[in-house]
Amino acid sequence: MRKTFSSYSELMHAFEASHHLILDGQFAELTHEDLYESPLDSLERIYGELGLVSWEEVCHSLARRIRQAGSYRPRPVSLQEFSENVLNALLEKSRSL
Protein backbone atom coordinates (compact mmCIF):
# COMPACT_ATOMS: atom_id res chain seq x y z
CA MET A 1 0.00 0.00 0.00
CA ARG A 2 2.85 2.40 0.77
CA LYS A 3 4.34 1.87 -2.68
CA THR A 4 0.96 2.42 -4.38
CA PHE A 5 0.33 5.59 -2.38
CA SER A 6 3.84 6.84 -3.06
CA SER A 7 3.46 6.16 -6.79
CA TYR A 8 0.11 7.96 -6.85
CA SER A 9 1.59 10.92 -5.00
CA GLU A 10 4.52 11.10 -7.44
CA LEU A 11 2.15 10.86 -10.39
CA MET A 12 -0.03 13.70 -9.10
CA HIS A 13 3.00 15.92 -8.43
CA ALA A 14 4.30 15.27 -11.95
CA PHE A 15 0.87 16.03 -13.40
CA GLU A 16 0.58 19.28 -11.45
CA ALA A 17 4.08 20.33 -12.52
CA SER A 18 3.38 19.70 -16.21
CA HIS A 19 -0.33 20.57 -16.40
CA HIS A 20 0.47 23.94 -17.96
CA LEU A 21 2.04 22.16 -20.95
CA ILE A 22 -1.23 20.59 -22.05
CA LEU A 23 -2.65 22.43 -25.03
CA ASP A 24 -6.13 23.91 -24.93
CA GLY A 25 -8.69 21.42 -26.17
CA GLN A 26 -6.51 18.44 -25.23
CA PHE A 27 -7.67 17.92 -21.65
CA ALA A 28 -11.03 17.87 -19.90
CA GLU A 29 -11.64 17.61 -16.17
CA LEU A 30 -14.76 16.60 -14.31
CA THR A 31 -15.63 15.56 -10.83
CA HIS A 32 -16.61 12.06 -9.87
CA GLU A 33 -19.86 13.51 -8.53
CA ASP A 34 -20.73 15.11 -11.87
CA LEU A 35 -20.03 11.88 -13.73
CA TYR A 36 -22.03 9.84 -11.22
CA GLU A 37 -25.01 12.22 -11.04
CA SER A 38 -25.21 13.14 -14.71
CA PRO A 39 -23.10 10.79 -16.83
CA LEU A 40 -24.54 11.62 -20.24
CA ASP A 41 -24.29 15.38 -19.71
CA SER A 42 -20.74 14.93 -18.41
CA LEU A 43 -19.73 12.90 -21.44
CA GLU A 44 -21.30 15.41 -23.79
CA ARG A 45 -19.34 18.18 -22.09
CA ILE A 46 -16.11 16.18 -22.48
CA TYR A 47 -16.80 15.61 -26.17
CA GLY A 48 -17.40 19.34 -26.57
CA GLU A 49 -14.32 20.43 -24.64
CA LEU A 50 -12.10 18.06 -26.60
CA GLY A 51 -13.64 19.04 -29.92
CA LEU A 52 -14.80 15.51 -30.69
CA VAL A 53 -17.32 15.73 -33.50
CA SER A 54 -18.76 12.24 -33.13
CA TRP A 55 -21.12 13.03 -30.23
CA GLU A 56 -24.24 12.59 -32.35
CA GLU A 57 -22.98 9.19 -33.49
CA VAL A 58 -22.32 7.84 -30.00
CA CYS A 59 -24.80 9.59 -27.70
CA HIS A 60 -27.62 7.07 -28.18
CA SER A 61 -25.33 4.09 -27.54
CA LEU A 62 -23.91 5.77 -24.48
CA ALA A 63 -27.38 6.63 -23.17
CA ARG A 64 -28.45 3.00 -23.62
CA ARG A 65 -25.39 1.75 -21.74
CA ILE A 66 -25.94 4.26 -18.93
CA ARG A 67 -29.54 3.08 -18.57
CA GLN A 68 -28.36 -0.55 -18.40
CA ALA A 69 -25.91 0.35 -15.65
CA GLY A 70 -28.54 2.33 -13.75
CA SER A 71 -29.05 -0.36 -11.15
CA TYR A 72 -25.34 -0.51 -10.30
CA ARG A 73 -24.57 0.50 -6.74
CA PRO A 74 -20.94 0.63 -5.66
CA ARG A 75 -20.01 -1.30 -2.56
CA PRO A 76 -18.20 0.64 0.12
CA VAL A 77 -14.54 -0.17 0.48
CA SER A 78 -13.58 -1.52 3.86
CA LEU A 79 -9.99 -1.94 4.89
CA GLN A 80 -8.55 -4.03 7.64
CA GLU A 81 -7.69 -1.90 10.65
CA PHE A 82 -3.93 -2.10 10.02
CA SER A 83 -4.33 -1.04 6.38
CA GLU A 84 -6.65 1.79 7.30
CA ASN A 85 -4.15 3.06 9.89
CA VAL A 86 -1.33 2.95 7.33
CA LEU A 87 -3.45 4.78 4.77
CA ASN A 88 -4.46 7.46 7.28
CA ALA A 89 -0.81 7.98 8.25
CA LEU A 90 0.18 8.33 4.60
CA LEU A 91 -2.62 10.81 3.96
CA GLU A 92 -1.62 12.86 6.99
CA LYS A 93 2.00 12.86 5.82
CA SER A 94 1.00 13.99 2.32
CA ARG A 95 -1.06 16.88 3.74
CA SER A 96 1.98 18.20 5.57
CA LEU A 97 4.13 18.32 2.40
Side-chain angles (χ1 to χ4, degrees), residues 18-38:
S18 61
H19 186 261
H20 68 283
L21 299 172
I22 301 171
L23 300 174
D24 288 341
Q26 297 294 306
F27 184 76
E29 288 185 271
L30 71 151
T31 65
H32 176 265
E33 291 78 14
D34 286 346
L35 184 60
Y36 183 78
E37 292 171 9
S38 187

Side-chain angles (χ1 to χ4, degrees), residues 9-82:
S9 183
E10 289 176 25
L11 176 66
M12 291 310 296
H13 285 295
F15 172 74
E16 290 170 6
S18 61
H19 186 261
H20 68 283
L21 299 172
I22 301 171
L23 300 174
D24 288 341
Q26 297 294 306
F27 184 76
E29 288 185 271
L30 71 151
T31 65
H32 176 265
E33 291 78 14
D34 286 346
L35 184 60
Y36 183 78
E37 292 171 9
S38 187
L40 195 61
D41 291 339
S42 296
L43 292 170
E44 183 176 15
R45 183 175 61 80
I46 290 170
Y47 269 71
E49 288 181 20
L50 297 179
L52 302 172
V53 296
S54 57
W55 176 250
E56 293 301 321
E57 296 172 32
V58 300
C59 67
H60 300 293
S61 297
L62 290 171
R64 187 175 339 105
R65 180 65 187 106
I66 290 167
R67 281 191 303 275
Q68 290 172 347
S71 62
Y72 171 76
R73 297 293 174 258
R75 292 180 298 197
V77 173
S78 62
L79 299 174
Q80 295 176 350
E81 185 177 355
F82 173 78

